[in-house]
Amino acid sequence: MTGPYVLSVRKNMSDFIENALNCLADPNDTETRRFYQELSKESLMVLCRRGIRQHTLEYLRRMPNGETIWVRVDINFLIDPGTGHQCAIWSLKNIDSAVQDTISLRYAAERDEMTGLLNRSFTMKTIQQILLEYPNTAHALFFLDIDHFKVLNDTLGHQAGDQFLAAFATALKNCFPLWLCSIWQVDDL
């Protein structure tokens, strides 16, 4: 975020909601979209009456300058003890750096560094999850073995072997973009 954005809401609620929906950058974020679509003065009052004093959303937002960043919106509900007047204070915080760090760490934990293919541990967890979610569906598992790979490493060197594996992984991902492609070392089998 290049500068602080101060949003002063002097519009009516429907303009505020329309702006919030237009700023959603991820079309698949149904949770945030539903929150804003169902948002009304009455829905905020219901949350406040239930004793909820804060609601938080984290989502990908398109900023006024066109930049897309991850933000956290904290909505704090206040009630004036004297008048009973209810108020909602919205604050928007840039959490893009933290989310990008988390995404990078998750990617590194799930992938083979050289090939970018999924690693054995993550593949096993994913296969178990798929089998649990779709127990009555037919599944297929293919193992591809690269014959004489040791000869390639021994004659042309490990750098050539690494280049071959990286090229093979790219070809595999291009041929099967919707498949779960993984790399396992011989020792893993």
Side-chain angles (χ1 to χ4, degrees):
M1 199 148 91
T2 55
Y5 294 99
V6 177
L7 303 176
S8 175
V9 180
R10 296 181 189 196
K11 305 176 191 180
N12 61 41
M13 189 79 154
S14 62
D15 288 343
F16 175 77
I17 294 168
E18 181 182 350
N19 180 60
L21 288 168
N22 287 336
C23 289
L24 290 179
D26 181 0
N28 299 317
D29 185 353
T30 56
E31 181 182 342
T32 304
R33 183 169 303 284
R34 183 174 32 253
F35 175 82
Y36 281 120
Q37 287 171 336
E38 295 173 359
L39 182 63
S40 66
K41 185 177 179 180
E42 292 75 26
S43 68
L44 291 176
M45 291 171 79
V46 166
L47 290 174
C48 197
R49 281 191 213 114
R50 286 186 189 157
I52 297 171
R53 294 295 173 248
Q54 183 178 38
H55 185 76
T56 300
L57 301 167
E58 291 184 359
Y59 61 94
L60 201 54
R61 180 182 174 90
R62 196 172 12 268
M63 300 306 289
N65 66 357
E67 183 180 18
T68 300
I69 63 168
W70 281 94
V71 296
R72 183 178 70 226
V73 175
D74 290 313
I75 309 162
N76 293 287
F77 302 105
L78 305 172
I79 300 176
D80 184 323
T83 65
H85 178 76
Q86 298 173 351
C87 176
I89 299 174
W90 298 64
S91 63
L92 182 86
K93 182 176 182 181
N94 180 348
I95 59 168
D96 196 65
S97 180
V99 171
Q100 295 303 331
D101 288 347
T102 300
I103 290 169
S104 294
L105 287 171
R106 186 179 306 127
Y107 184 89
E110 297 170 353
R111 306 268 171 177
D112 174 70
E113 185 178 0
M114 181 180 52
T115 64
L117 293 175
L118 299 173
N119 63 32
R120 179 183 188 273
S121 175
F122 183 75
T123 300
M124 291 302 295
K125 288 177 190 171
T126 304
I127 289 171
Q128 289 171 348
Q129 181 181 351
I130 290 169
L131 293 174
L132 286 172
E133 287 181 26
Y134 305 98
N136 299 319
T137 303
H139 303 281
L141 180 63
F142 297 94
F143 279 95
L144 301 177
D145 182 30
I146 302 172
D147 288 336
H148 310 294
F149 181 71
K150 184 175 179 344
V151 174
L152 174 68
N153 264 347
D154 291 346
T155 56
L156 298 177
H158 288 281
Q159 185 176 5
D162 290 350
Q163 289 172 343
F164 173 79
L165 283 177
F168 182 78
T170 300
L172 191 63
K173 289 183 282 189
N174 288 338
C175 288
F176 305 104
L178 301 178
W179 288 27
L180 183 69
C181 295
S182 167
I183 187 166
W184 293 16
Q185 305 299 320
V186 174
D187 298 344
D188 292 337
L189 298 175

